[in-house]
Amino acid sequence: MEKRFESLTIFEFQERFPDDRSCLRYLAEKKWANGYVCPKCGNTRYCKGDKEYNRQCTRCHYISSPTSETLFHKVKFPLLKAFYIVYYVSTSKKGISSTELSRKLGLRQKTCWLFKQKVMVAM
């Protein structure tokens, strides 16, 4: 994900991801680009899940969300803000502090620090 955003300016990023819904759509497109496979039973057939962009296995009825098994799994703050953290961490040449992320995004410094660590491990 971070490689794709290196060439985007902040304005292009804001235009591409104006809300949480656009972030979910992006994750769903990337996650299931090669087709859906149930993580529990391996079935490739699915139906619409209980929420937008979720997929439910037709065999075992497991519901998979675009964020499950990704960096964004169980994020307790808005997905858009998590995308911004990934954007800032991956595009800042000298790095960005968790304090600066906190100021820009209106999140607690510790929340930013913890998610930033998760992003850096993934990179």
Side-chain angles (χ1 to χ4, degrees):
M1 185 167 155
E2 59 277 356
K3 295 282 186 210
R4 298 184 64 87
F5 295 143
E6 280 184 333
S7 61
L8 292 179
T9 65
I10 188 68
F11 299 110
E12 292 168 332
F13 182 84
Q14 288 171 335
E15 192 174 290
R16 187 167 180 187
F17 300 106
D19 53 21
D20 281 358
R21 189 169 183 254
S22 60
C23 297
L24 278 172
R25 184 179 335 110
Y26 175 82
L27 288 174
E29 288 169 1
K30 292 297 170 193
K31 184 173 184 174
W32 296 305
N34 298 324
Y36 171 82
V37 177
C38 178
K40 298 290 181 186
C41 70
N43 186 28
T44 57
R45 299 190 67 198
Y46 67 92
C47 59
K48 190 175 178 183
D50 57 345
K51 294 180 184 171
E52 190 175 24
Y53 301 112
N54 282 3
R55 297 189 177 180
Q56 184 173 356
C57 177
T58 55
R59 184 184 300 156
C60 71
H61 306 291
Y62 177 77
I63 298 173
S64 184
S65 77
T67 60
S68 65
E69 301 174 22
T70 70
L71 184 66
F72 306 100
H73 185 64
K74 293 192 178 183
V75 168
K76 292 185 175 45
F77 53 93
L79 186 59
L80 182 60
K81 290 186 179 192
F83 265 56
Y84 270 99
I85 292 174
V86 173
Y87 175 80
Y88 285 129
V89 168
S90 64
T91 58
S92 300
K93 290 186 182 194
K94 295 182 180 179
I96 187 165
S97 70
S98 58
T99 306
E100 181 69 10
L101 287 170
S102 172
R103 188 186 64 72
K104 286 181 184 243
L105 300 172
L107 295 170
R108 290 179 50 233
Q109 182 270 333
K110 187 173 181 179
T111 301
C112 292
W113 184 84
L114 289 168
F115 192 73
K116 179 184 171 192
Q117 296 306 308
K118 200 174 176 182
V119 170
M120 291 174 71
V121 167
M123 289 173 65

